[in-house]
Amino acid sequence: MVEVLKYIKGYLRIKVWGFSPERFMNLCSNKGILLWDIVREGDVYYMNINLRGFWALKPIVKKTGTRAAILERYGLPFFVPKLLKRKMFVGGLVLAVAFWLVSSSFIWNIQIDGNYQITDDVFQSFLKENQVTVGMRKDNLDIEELEKQIRREFPQITWASAKLMGTRLQIDIKENDAPISIEEKLPSDGRDLVAEFDGRVVSMIVRSGVPKVSIGDQVEKGTVLVEGRVPIYNEDTTVREYRYVDADGDILLEHVTNFTATLPYDHIEKVYTGREETRSYLKAGGNSWTIPGDRPFLVYDSVIKETRPLLFEKLSIPLYWGTVTHREYQNVEYVYTQEEVKVLLNQKLMVFLTSLEEKGVQIIEKNVKIENDGSSWVLRGDFLVWEPVSAGQDTLRPDLEEGQGQDPGQQN
């Protein structure tokens, strides 16, 4: 605290030399003149003294036969006049403070947390309809009324809280937990499992439904493998009724699948020339302004570097500036080497094989080759696979004849 008071009042760093510097310091002490940070170098003494004490030194210097010279000046009495001479700096400082004071009375950012069922776009539209927008004055915002409007507009919100944090409006909401709906299982109309492709049945485990094929059978696309219509028999083996279920089972069909991938002989690559042009821009909210100029190059890429001043970030003011660097390049034609052809085509093949594995397909045999068809490279693959059946269709419901309860051989 003492150091702060010294700085406010101002003080000097002086040097004292002459006939009797020691007597000089004793007389200053007797007259209540404060001296501190005294350093001796030979016959010269260096010390600090406040301004009022310095103006009282004249009789002491004359009486002791010493001399005193000012080396440095410290404190507000010396800093403020220097500052006032720098009009541009003072003006900029005043404008910065004024800008900070004015900006702090507006809302520059709205953050919403806790919304899962309600999208941000829907909530932003609601706020806009209620005149709650970025750039509005804090005085125009009624927090309690906004919370009521939120709960009134969105019935699924059970709790809402809005608060101002600096220039940011923080809205926290809690939505009603969606109840876990347990669907009541209704009686099934019946679903059949059918073949999605031609193939041979190699494995078959039926959990519900009536099998219509056996292991080793050759089937065509669309063939019913497991029927969802289950007959209920009387004691005399006549059909009393049918019960319809969703056919379920693990069935593998063996078939051949094909894969083809092509790659052109040549391709275009970007080769940068090293020529660049940089332009600055300013962005405020959704608007941006760039230094105008002609098209820099015939073909080019653009690299954007954007920065935001720390002050604006703390105040949540959406003001940015940055640079756009345009880099010229040329399109150069290159021919693939055989090694590059193998690598690129094999990458496409691996994507295909991965998709088969994700569907639970087992690869039994494969035959892959790369050929040159005169205009491009072609990878062709034939794969013998075991693929699970998952397709279904509605079970047919033929009308039962009046004699359904009789033995089919006895019906007319």
Side-chain angles (χ1 to χ4, degrees):
M1 186 64 184
V2 174
E3 295 297 328
V4 175
L5 292 175
K6 290 178 182 178
Y7 186 82
I8 294 174
K9 293 181 179 180
Y11 63 93
L12 304 170
R13 184 70 174 174
I14 64 174
K15 71 173 183 177
V16 178
W17 74 99
F19 179 72
S20 182
E22 293 81 2
R23 189 183 176 197
F24 169 87
M25 290 184 286
N26 288 334
L27 290 177
C28 286
S29 178
N30 292 336
K31 291 184 176 292
I33 299 174
L34 179 63
L35 303 175
W36 71 94
D37 290 346
I38 301 173
V39 178
R40 178 180 180 181
E41 293 183 0
D43 295 332
V44 180
Y45 287 84
Y46 299 89
M47 62 197 73
N48 294 338
I49 184 172
N50 58 35
L51 291 180
R52 188 177 65 177
F54 180 77
W55 295 118
L57 289 182
K58 187 173 181 180
I60 298 176
V61 169
K62 186 176 181 180
K63 192 171 187 178
T64 58
T66 56
R67 298 178 63 184
I70 300 174
L71 299 178
E72 298 289 343
R73 297 172 175 83
Y74 301 98
L76 288 180
F78 306 107
F79 175 73
V80 172
K82 290 182 180 179
L83 186 64
L84 293 177
K85 291 180 182 179
R86 301 179 179 180
K87 297 180 180 179
M88 293 294 293
F89 176 79
V90 175
L93 181 62
V94 172
L95 289 176
V97 173
F99 175 78
W100 178 76
L101 292 174
V102 173
S103 298
S104 62
S105 61
F106 291 84
I107 296 174
W108 295 111
N109 186 21
I110 299 177
Q111 185 170 341
I112 306 166
D113 289 330
N115 57 314
Y116 300 102
Q117 303 176 36
I118 306 170
T119 64
D120 289 343
D121 292 340
V122 172
F123 211 102
Q124 291 291 350
S125 298
F126 159 76
L127 293 177
K128 190 175 181 179
E129 291 174 0
N130 288 271
Q131 288 76 46
V132 179
T133 58
V134 172
M136 70 175 296
R137 290 186 60 87
K138 294 180 182 179
D139 301 339
N140 298 333
L141 177 65
D142 188 340
I143 296 291
E144 293 184 3
E145 182 61 26
L146 176 60
E147 293 174 348
K148 292 178 182 178
Q149 287 286 352
I150 292 173
R151 292 191 293 267
R152 190 178 302 120
E153 180 71 18
F154 303 102
Q156 62 268 49
I157 294 179
T158 58
W159 175 82
S161 172
K163 57 185 176 181
L164 287 170
M165 303 176 64
T167 60
R168 184 179 72 204
L169 173 60
Q170 178 71 39
I171 301 176
D172 296 305
I173 63 176
K174 182 176 178 58
E175 298 174 340
N176 186 22
D177 295 334
I180 300 175
S181 59
I182 301 176
E183 297 183 359
E184 183 180 355
K185 192 170 183 180
L186 301 175
S188 173
D189 291 331
R191 294 282 292 174
D192 299 335
L193 277 181
V194 298
E196 302 171 66
F197 33 77
D198 298 345
R200 184 174 64 90
V201 180
V202 294
S203 176
M204 190 171 188
I205 300 174
V206 177
R207 285 184 287 271
S208 65
V210 179
K212 306 301 287 185
V213 296
S214 303
I215 295 177
D217 289 352
Q218 192 73 28
V219 298
E220 296 180 354
K221 180 179 179 181
T223 301
V224 176
L225 306 178
V226 181
E227 191 177 42
R229 187 175 65 164
V230 181
I232 308 296
Y233 294 98
N234 294 314
E235 294 181 357
D236 58 357
T237 70
T238 59
V239 178
R240 185 179 69 206
E241 61 177 332
Y242 290 100
R243 181 166 58 90
Y244 290 87
V245 299
D246 292 336
D248 184 25
D250 297 328
I251 303 174
L252 294 179
L253 292 185
E254 181 183 83
H255 70 105
V256 176
T257 185
N258 309 109
F259 173 74
T260 303
T262 60
L263 191 69
Y265 278 146
D266 50 30
H267 63 288
I268 302 299
E269 287 189 7
K270 293 180 181 180
V271 176
Y272 291 94
T273 63
R275 297 174 60 194
E276 296 183 352
E277 181 180 296
T278 301
R279 297 176 184 174
S280 300
Y281 72 91
L282 176 68
K283 185 172 75 172
N287 301 318
S288 61
W289 299 268
T290 306
I291 296 177
D294 298 331
R295 183 184 178 93
F297 310 108
L298 182 61
V299 287
Y300 59 90
D301 282 340
S302 298
V303 179
I304 299 176
K305 292 183 179 180
E306 188 173 271
T307 57
R308 187 181 187 186
L310 183 60
L311 175 63
F312 295 157
E313 185 177 350
K314 294 296 183 183
L315 293 174
S316 297
I317 299 175
L319 183 63
Y320 309 82
W321 61 68
T323 59
V324 181
T325 301
H326 304 299
R327 302 185 302 169
E328 184 187 34
Y329 67 86
Q330 295 178 348
N331 290 320
V332 180
E333 185 175 310
Y334 285 94
V335 177
Y336 286 115
T337 64
Q338 289 190 356
E339 289 300 322
E340 290 175 332
V341 169
K342 290 181 181 178
V343 171
L344 294 174
L345 289 178
N346 280 326
Q347 288 177 353
K348 296 183 178 182
L349 177 61
M350 290 306 299
V351 173
F352 171 72
L353 295 179
T354 301
S355 67
L356 291 182
E357 292 179 1
E358 291 175 351
K359 293 189 295 184
V361 178
Q362 303 175 36
I363 300 175
I364 308 305
E365 295 179 4
K366 60 182 178 179
N367 180 22
V368 179
K369 56 184 177 180
I370 298 176
E371 299 175 338
N372 184 338
D373 67 356
S375 61
S376 61
W377 295 97
V378 182
L379 181 146
R380 292 187 176 89
D382 298 324
F383 302 91
L384 181 65
V385 299
W386 290 0
E387 186 168 350
V389 174
S390 58
Q393 68 179 20
D394 292 338
T395 302
L396 294 177
R397 282 176 166 263
D399 295 333
L400 294 178
E401 300 180 359
E402 294 181 358
Q404 177 184 345
Q406 303 175 3
D407 188 295
Q410 298 177 354
Q411 296 177 5
N412 296 326

